[in-house]
Amino acid sequence: MTNFELYNPTNYIFGKDQIQKLTDLVPANSKILLAYGGGSIFKNGVHEQVIKALKGFEIIEFGGIEPNPHFETLMKAVEIIRVQKIDFILAVGGGSVIDGVKFISAAVHFDGDTADILRKRILFKEGSNVIPFGTVLTLPATGSEMNSGAVVTIATTQEKLTLGGSALFPKFSIVDPTVIISLPKRQLQNGVIDAFTHVMEQYLTFPHDAYLQDRFSESILKTLIEVGPSVVENPSDYKLASNFVWCATMALNGLIQKGVPSDWATHMIGHELTALYNIDHARTLAIIGPNLYKVMFETKKEKLAQYGERVWNVSGNSIEEKANKAIEKTVEFFHTMGMKTKLSENTENYQETANFIVNRFEERGWKALGEKQNITPDKVHEIVELSY
């Protein structure tokens, strides 16, 4: 197991009827920017609950944060905070709203071109001058409610880029599984696959001696396989909903990544598909992931076989046979969850996608991706082409 530091200061408040605790969680006398997305929080009653819990606080509302939050939109919120001298942000929504608020938090006092936060992947370490924020989660998927990373799209250049740092953990996150009742089936499907792939990025690398980390990851995967199809059809079942929501948080709150190698190439390539074609994030992962496993088969086959045996109960006469069966089972699960796993099923005019993505990575100076830094531009091209 490699050396690691585990730091997660987020106060995680889980369960039914927890929004009322906002009164005590938000610092007294705060001037609050209430940030949200397209307005679903008005339909499901969450907005009403939040406003009631924050009675007595001065609140300025900012809506319209996109499913893939746009830099241009977020900068409007940054300006409001600067002018209104707001000192606390409350993100009410899913991962995109929370990611957007992380950028807003970092950008308000940033000295320089705020786009550099994304283009130069600047880390905001503990002690950085950021605006504190909390979250009320309404869509489980990204784990953003309990981590310090975020992804933001620069719409003008069609770039989906990351930011983060230890200063960007939420001060608190309220997670009530009952709010998923009102979510469309597509969003629930996306949430399951997003969480599933988050685990795979940290687990499906190569064998190592972090036994407990492997078991953590495998347990999350098995639970998502068990509850995923059912929670999509019956989100009002609290047993299903609570286990799904907790899996989504655990998939990316930092715990399973400690002491182990991780990949993230599926995400890096998938982000480009979202930026180019506006394909749902989770669906880009379902397109790219299995094909990345096939192209990088020789370096991943031992872990693929372990994954197949422990998670899918596959058997075979060789590592290769078990590894191939594991990929097949993964694709079958994605199909069960409503994913279309070919790029051509999700968009038109995709034929030059591989060339475009490779050129963009090279322009950014990304020479290689993956846990062994062996996913070179030619491999990226092969993965994307295989995904057509």
Side-chain angles (χ1 to χ4, degrees):
M1 193 181 302
T2 58
N3 296 349
F4 67 86
E5 295 182 13
L6 177 59
Y7 174 73
N8 195 317
T10 300
N11 182 11
Y12 188 83
I13 300 102
F14 181 93
K16 300 176 183 179
D17 304 321
Q18 299 297 294
I19 291 176
Q20 59 188 328
K21 292 185 177 179
L22 277 171
T23 305
D24 300 318
L25 292 168
V26 175
N29 302 314
S30 294
K31 188 174 183 179
I32 303 169
L33 183 78
L34 175 59
Y36 49 86
S40 63
I41 63 170
F42 293 93
K43 299 175 183 177
N44 60 20
V46 171
H47 180 270
E48 182 181 358
Q49 293 179 61
V50 168
I51 295 299
K52 182 178 180 181
L54 292 177
K55 185 178 180 180
F57 286 90
E58 184 176 357
I59 302 170
I60 295 174
E61 299 193 22
F62 182 84
I65 297 176
E66 301 85 357
N68 294 289
H70 289 182
F71 165 81
E72 295 84 354
T73 300
L74 303 177
M75 285 305 301
K76 295 176 183 178
V78 169
E79 187 59 26
I80 290 171
I81 291 175
R82 289 170 175 169
V83 171
Q84 296 289 337
K85 301 188 185 306
I86 289 167
D87 50 21
F88 193 86
I89 312 171
L90 182 64
V92 182
S96 291
V97 172
I98 299 171
D99 279 12
V101 163
K102 289 176 183 178
F103 175 83
I104 296 166
S105 167
V108 171
H109 297 303
F110 183 73
D111 186 16
D113 183 354
T114 48
D116 284 346
I117 294 173
L118 302 170
R119 292 187 173 131
K120 296 182 179 180
R121 302 176 78 178
I122 293 172
L123 287 177
F124 291 81
K125 298 180 180 179
E126 193 68 26
S128 298
N129 191 9
V130 301
I131 303 295
F133 64 94
T135 87
V136 176
L137 184 71
T138 62
L139 173 60
T142 68
S144 193
E145 67 275 6
M146 202 179 181
N147 66 43
S148 61
V151 185
V152 169
T153 297
I154 302 177
T156 54
T157 56
Q158 292 184 299
E159 295 177 276
K160 191 172 180 181
L161 303 169
T162 60
L163 71 146
S166 57
L168 296 179
F169 281 102
K171 296 300 181 184
F172 62 82
S173 285
I174 295 175
V175 182
D176 182 346
T178 65
V179 302
I180 75 167
I181 293 171
S182 62
L183 293 175
K185 180 181 289 189
R186 184 183 181 93
Q187 288 186 324
L188 291 168
Q189 291 170 332
N190 287 349
V192 172
I193 297 307
D194 200 4
F196 191 92
T197 310
H198 286 157
V199 179
M200 294 288 272
E201 294 277 47
Q202 300 164 91
Y203 167 76
L204 196 61
T205 55
F206 54 83
H208 48 74
D209 59 358
Y211 305 138
L212 183 58
Q213 298 303 85
D214 276 0
R215 295 298 189 185
F216 280 148
S217 293
E218 289 154 4
S219 67
I220 299 171
L221 294 171
K222 287 174 74 71
T223 305
L224 287 169
I225 291 165
E226 180 180 351
V227 307
S230 299
V231 78
V232 167
E233 300 299 330
N234 190 14
S236 62
D237 185 318
Y238 190 75
K239 178 179 69 174
L240 297 173
S242 58
N243 280 283
F244 161 47
V245 170
W246 183 223
C247 278
T249 298
M250 286 295 292
L252 201 59
N253 68 356
L255 177 63
I256 65 173
Q257 191 171 18
K258 300 306 177 184
V260 302
S262 57
D263 187 344
W264 298 111
T266 295
H267 271 71
M268 294 298 99
I269 300 170
H271 286 166
E272 298 304 315
L273 298 184
T274 297
L276 286 170
Y277 305 120
N278 202 31
I279 303 171
D280 299 3
H281 171 62
R283 291 167 193 265
T284 70
L285 304 179
I287 293 167
I288 295 298
N291 294 302
L292 184 145
Y293 309 150
K294 292 174 184 176
V295 172
M296 304 309 297
F297 189 82
E298 285 304 312
T299 59
K300 288 183 177 288
K301 62 184 180 182
E302 287 85 3
K303 204 60 178 287
L304 275 164
Q306 175 183 309
Y307 159 67
E309 288 178 315
R310 294 185 181 180
V311 175
W312 291 109
N313 299 314
V314 305
S315 59
N317 296 320
S318 66
I319 287 175
E320 289 78 9
E321 183 181 358
K322 288 182 283 190
N324 277 311
K325 286 183 178 179
I327 297 174
E328 292 171 5
K329 286 286 188 181
T330 304
V331 175
E332 289 173 9
F333 177 61
F334 288 174
H335 289 165
T336 299
M337 294 305 305
M339 301 293 112
K340 296 178 179 179
T341 53
K342 295 180 181 179
L343 186 55
S344 57
E345 296 174 317
N346 290 271
T347 189
E348 299 178 356
N349 303 317
Y350 55 84
Q351 291 81 1
E352 292 300 315
T353 305
N355 290 332
F356 184 90
I357 291 176
V358 167
N359 289 338
R360 175 160 278 182
F361 284 2
E362 289 178 337
E363 288 171 0
R364 293 181 190 147
W366 296 2
K367 297 180 180 179
L369 304 172
E371 68 272 16
K372 291 187 175 182
Q373 292 293 286
N374 59 352
I375 304 180
T376 51
D378 61 311
K379 294 293 186 185
V380 171
H381 195 282
E382 187 178 352
I383 291 163
V384 177
E385 273 204 332
L386 193 60
S387 302
Y388 286 174

